[in-house]
Amino acid sequence: MSRIQLSFQRKKQRILDGLSKPEAEYTDLSPKGSVDEGIQDLIQEINKLDGFVTTSSCAGRISVYLEGRKEPSKKKDDGHHGEQDTGSVNNQPAQAAVPGGKGAGGKWLYVSHDPILLPSVPSSEDMHLTKLFGFTSALAEPSIAVNNATSYVRVAFEPMILHVMTASLKHAQRVLAAAINAGFRESGVQSLRNLEDKEACPMVAVRTSGLALESVIGYLEDGKDISNVRCVVSEGYLRMVVAMINQRFEANTERILRFSDHLLKQDFGQSLRHGDEEVWEDADSRRERKRIEGLRKSKDLHKQGRSLLPPPRERDSILELEGSLQTMDLLG
């Protein structure tokens, strides 16, 4: 048995206090600003387990965004070199970012954590997705050269990502095993500090790149207002991409369910109270304790003449003990 560090318990409580706030008061750094509905049940179940707490999550989403621009590096008179200037859209300040990010002039055009409903028989004049994604027209011929001054519009699907802080490496191993078995192949334990610091709280990132999808669908020329963003693909192409993303939503949901089954149905053990101290009893220790208790109970029943079986010996294997106890139950 290993004791759950007090530092972990305090960190977990602070996180749970934040999650317990009313929805109107809760906010986070995601575009949505709150916990995704599709993953709330899983987060609640994980946070009920001793030794585990979720710190950030995304259930999976489709997004269309104007990427940020990479500004030329400029030397500063204060001796700091290689710093990037921040960009802006419509005189609004933004954080610096490299191409592919949403900062430095970038903007979210569309974000959803649910599949997009597509008509079974779309009209040839239907421009639903083109307008939904922030374009005024479709299929404009690119008339620009590829350079750092141009921002591109991308449509992307990102599968579930979940960060779980754990009380020990043994706890982290259980989350990681469940994630890998469920298909989140790129999951891992973050920071090698966990190997040396006994009080560290290992963080497990549950993720996969296998379901991810991204495509360039438009651009914005340097210096132009966001209203001039241009689409370079047809409505039919957007329908094809969205149909592919909807399939990935289904596969993502299946993997989330498998992860939940693998993680929540494991025999994690339990926390025991020894006086004023909370001690963690892992599954192996719990099985050994139950084995010894079963041996003791069987001996007591034999001494009282209530058992029809010979007293089990201490060297009996767990399997032999379980078989004996099952026989006792059958005999009443």
Side-chain angles (χ1 to χ4, degrees), residues 65-70 97-103 108 150-152 154 158 214:
Y65 62 91
L66 175 68
E67 68 180 11
R69 299 184 304 275
K70 183 177 181 181
V98 298
K102 272 71 75 176
W108 295 101
T150 303
S151 296
Y152 297 94
R154 301 174 184 268
E158 299 161 283
E214 183 177 287

Side-chain angles (χ1 to χ4, degrees), residues 18 46-47 50 92 98 113 125 136 177 181 184 207 211 234 244 252 258 296:
I46 292 175
N47 291 338
D50 291 323
Q92 296 297 318
V98 298
H113 294 84
E125 298 180 356
T136 56
N181 290 332
F184 293 94
R207 58 195 174 195
L211 296 177
S234 66
M244 294 172 63
N252 181 60
R258 288 203 300 268
R296 186 180 299 113

Side-chain angles (χ1 to χ4, degrees), residues 257-287:
L257 293 175
R258 288 203 300 268
F259 171 70
S260 177
D261 287 341
H262 283 300
L263 180 63
L264 301 179
K265 292 182 179 180
Q266 291 186 65
D267 183 8
F268 282 100
Q270 59 188 14
S271 289
L272 301 178
R273 301 296 302 187
H274 286 248
D276 295 331
E277 184 179 274
E278 184 177 4
V279 178
W280 174 257
E281 181 184 44
D282 60 33
D284 292 338
S285 299
R286 182 170 179 265
R287 280 192 290 269

Side-chain angles (χ1 to χ4, degrees), residues 51-52 164-181 187-190 194 201-206 259 262-263 266 268 282 284:
F52 305 87
V164 183
M165 186 169 67
T166 61
S168 68
L169 282 173
K170 192 160 189 177
H171 290 81
Q173 184 181 17
R174 292 182 179 274
V175 179
L176 184 57
I180 298 298
N181 290 332
S187 301
V189 179
Q190 299 179 338
N194 299 308
C201 299
M203 184 76 71
V204 182
V206 180
F259 171 70
H262 283 300
L263 180 63
Q266 291 186 65
F268 282 100
D282 60 33
D284 292 338

Side-chain angles (χ1 to χ4, degrees), residues 69-304:
R69 299 184 304 275
K70 183 177 181 181
E71 302 291 348
S73 298
K74 295 182 179 180
K75 292 185 178 181
K76 306 293 184 179
D77 293 335
D78 58 6
H80 291 85
H81 303 285
E83 297 182 5
Q84 296 180 347
D85 293 337
T86 57
S88 64
V89 173
N90 297 332
N91 297 320
Q92 296 297 318
Q95 296 178 346
V98 298
K102 272 71 75 176
K107 182 179 177 63
W108 295 101
L109 301 177
Y110 178 82
V111 179
S112 175
H113 294 84
D114 299 304
I116 297 177
L117 182 63
L118 294 173
S120 56
V121 184
S123 168
S124 59
E125 298 180 356
D126 182 17
M127 302 294 287
H128 172 67
L129 295 177
T130 302
K131 296 176 182 178
L132 182 66
F133 294 161
F135 299 108
T136 56
S137 62
L139 203 59
E141 287 293 332
S143 59
I144 58 170
V146 177
N147 55 60
N148 284 341
T150 303
S151 296
Y152 297 94
V153 177
R154 301 174 184 268
V155 58
F157 175 75
E158 299 161 283
M160 184 194 78
I161 183 167
L162 177 67
H163 289 89
V164 183
M165 186 169 67
T166 61
S168 68
L169 282 173
K170 192 160 189 177
H171 290 81
Q173 184 181 17
R174 292 182 179 274
V175 179
L176 184 57
I180 298 298
N181 290 332
F184 293 94
R185 303 294 185 185
E186 286 70 44
S187 301
V189 179
Q190 299 179 338
S191 179
L192 294 178
R193 173 174 171 263
N194 299 308
L195 300 176
E196 301 176 355
D197 188 349
K198 294 182 179 180
E199 294 190 0
C201 299
M203 184 76 71
V204 182
V206 180
R207 58 195 174 195
T208 179
S209 61
L211 296 177
L213 180 150
E214 183 177 287
S215 177
V216 174
I217 59 174
Y219 70 94
L220 179 67
E221 293 184 61
D222 185 39
K224 290 193 175 183
D225 185 83
I226 187 68
S227 61
N228 293 306
V229 66
R230 306 186 70 183
C231 182
V232 295
V233 299
S234 66
E235 176 74 14
Y237 179 85
L238 292 178
R239 285 198 298 268
M240 180 187 71
V241 171
V242 168
M244 294 172 63
I245 289 176
N246 286 347
Q247 291 177 340
R248 281 164 166 73
F249 265 115
E250 293 182 9
N252 181 60
T253 299
E254 292 174 358
R255 294 191 187 189
I256 291 174
L257 293 175
R258 288 203 300 268
F259 171 70
S260 177
D261 287 341
H262 283 300
L263 180 63
L264 301 179
K265 292 182 179 180
Q266 291 186 65
D267 183 8
F268 282 100
Q270 59 188 14
S271 289
L272 301 178
R273 301 296 302 187
H274 286 248
D276 295 331
E277 184 179 274
E278 184 177 4
V279 178
W280 174 257
E281 181 184 44
D282 60 33
D284 292 338
S285 299
R286 182 170 179 265
R287 280 192 290 269
E288 178 64 14
R289 177 172 62 83
K290 290 293 186 180
R291 185 185 75 87
I292 295 175
E293 289 177 355
L295 285 167
R296 186 180 299 113
K297 181 178 180 181
S298 182
K299 286 182 177 180
D300 291 342
L301 290 174
H302 184 80
K303 289 179 180 179
Q304 298 171 14

